[in-house]
Amino acid sequence: LDNGIDLVLRLATAWPVELRLPGLDLLRLLAAASPNLITRTSSGADDIVDVLASSGVFDSAHDRPNNTMLAVRCLANLFMTDEGRLITDGEFDKIVGLMHPFLQSTNRNVAVAIATLYINYAVMLEKGEKGAEGIQTTIRGLRLLQDLTGLLQRAEDSEVIYRSLVAMGTLVTIGADFRHH
């Protein structure tokens, strides 16, 4: 199984950029169903987030929006396993930072993928710490809210608008501390 994961990682990150789409799609599927992907990529110096980031798929000059969309969907799918949620929680700042160049994207598929990722984060935050221990939750929620506002400013697609509003609505359920900021 590790050899298969290594092959998919090479397809998604080391093949010529124009040929990476199938590898990224396989990686997206593995992220949803294979805790082995997380343990395999976390056993080295880089986790799956670092692997995707170093592949160049999130470079703002990158002209392959479908590659970016599949990489974002891969990150969104990490929320489907306990191991993946640990990674997305620990790499929150890095992941949200990787989204910034694309918040103003006019590409529908990229925008839908980002909104979906942010729904997953909103749900994770809603289930997280409350009260004094939840200051990090509040800070993260406010950051997501700011990004979602930016995403909505350019959104014309109904699915992008819908998913962004779902994420925002979930964020306001975090609690009174969040709503008063």
Side-chain angles (χ1 to χ4, degrees):
L1 187 60
D2 284 348
N3 288 338
I5 291 173
D6 288 341
L7 177 61
V8 171
L9 287 168
R10 280 197 308 277
L11 289 171
T13 62
W15 274 30
V17 173
E18 66 276 6
L19 301 175
R20 291 183 186 175
L21 197 65
L24 287 164
D25 200 24
L26 288 170
L27 199 58
R28 173 188 64 86
L29 294 171
L30 282 171
S34 176
N36 290 340
L37 172 68
I38 306 305
T39 56
R40 181 77 180 126
T41 56
S42 297
S43 62
D46 296 332
D47 62 27
I48 186 63
V49 178
D50 295 322
V51 168
L52 285 171
S54 67
S55 76
V57 73
F58 295 115
D59 293 346
S60 57
H62 164 65
D63 67 344
R64 300 274 177 194
N66 287 335
N67 288 4
T68 302
M69 176 264 303
L70 283 175
V72 175
R73 286 185 177 176
C74 176
L75 295 172
N77 282 354
L78 290 173
F79 286 85
M80 297 180 79
T81 65
D82 291 338
E83 297 84 357
R85 282 188 295 279
L86 284 173
I87 295 291
T88 56
D89 184 32
E91 296 282 19
F92 176 88
D93 291 327
K94 185 181 295 179
I95 291 172
V96 171
L98 290 170
M99 298 305 112
H100 276 230
F102 303 98
L103 291 175
Q104 301 298 313
S105 176
T106 57
N107 184 289
R108 176 198 187 275
N109 295 329
V110 171
V112 168
I114 292 170
T116 303
L117 174 68
Y118 281 21
I119 288 172
N120 291 349
Y121 266 123
V123 169
M124 183 182 78
L125 292 175
E126 193 276 328
K127 292 179 178 180
E129 299 287 333
K130 308 287 190 257
E133 302 83 31
I135 191 69
Q136 182 179 10
T137 297
T138 301
I139 292 168
R140 286 179 170 189
L142 290 171
R143 187 164 178 199
L144 291 176
L145 195 58
Q146 181 179 12
D147 286 0
L148 287 161
T149 301
L151 195 60
L152 277 171
Q153 287 175 340
R154 295 279 305 236
E156 295 179 6
D157 181 81
S158 62
E159 191 66 21
V160 174
I161 294 168
Y162 172 75
R163 289 177 190 237
S164 297
L165 291 174
V166 167
M168 290 174 134
T170 303
L171 288 170
V172 298
T173 67
I174 288 175
D177 289 342
F178 179 76
R179 287 191 298 273
H180 290 97
H181 284 84

